[in-house]
Amino acid sequence: MRSRRAPGQGRLLLAAGMMALGGFLPWVYTHLGPVSGAVGAGLWVFYAGLLALAGGLLPAARLRTLVIGQALLCGAVGVGLPVWQVVSLLSRVGLQGWMPGPGLVLSAFGGVLCLLAARQLMSVVPAEPATAD
């Protein structure tokens, strides 16, 4: 028997891939060279991507609340850490001497996609179980 995914779980799987990949790509380019996300907050985004992967693979019909919670948590991490990184860099050096890398952008977009998946999962009305009369 083939299980069907709830609307939003495919989006959550795509977000998981973006976050897992973005966690290890360069987050910041400087004059001295790229800075990998794996040496800082990118590792936490990678872990959140693995959690989002689990949420995308769980049966959403039975564990809907858990999947929504995972998507919200992963979205908060995926958006929050890249924004924190940019704000930190802006407050330290301004706009001079650095440029965001693909890992930072992928992680942030993966977080936004997680939040969109959570919204889509929340908007779906769960089907009532059939009862025998």
Side-chain angles (χ1 to χ4, degrees):
M1 182 171 155
R2 189 173 189 210
S3 68
R4 295 188 65 208
R5 302 239 176 267
Q9 278 191 297
R11 189 173 283 172
L12 192 58
L13 288 172
L14 178 62
M18 290 172 71
M19 290 170 66
L21 180 63
F24 286 103
L25 289 175
W27 272 38
V28 177
Y29 288 116
T30 67
H31 293 296
L32 300 175
V35 178
S36 174
V39 298
L43 197 55
W44 291 98
V45 173
F46 172 75
Y47 294 147
L50 293 182
L51 187 63
L53 176 67
L57 295 175
L58 284 173
R62 290 185 291 155
L63 302 170
R64 184 172 173 264
T65 306
L66 181 65
V67 173
I68 292 171
Q70 282 178 311
L72 288 172
L73 177 67
C74 295
V77 169
V79 171
L81 288 178
V83 167
W84 169 76
Q85 184 75 52
V86 169
V87 169
S88 175
L89 282 169
L90 286 174
S91 68
R92 290 180 186 189
V93 295
L95 295 172
Q96 300 297 319
W98 68 278
M99 185 174 75
L104 186 78
V105 175
L106 260 178
S107 298
F109 282 136
V112 169
L113 209 55
C114 274
L115 294 174
L116 289 174
R119 184 174 141 224
Q120 188 175 8
L121 284 163
M122 282 190 273
S123 68
V124 174
V125 178
E128 292 293 324
T131 58
D133 289 333

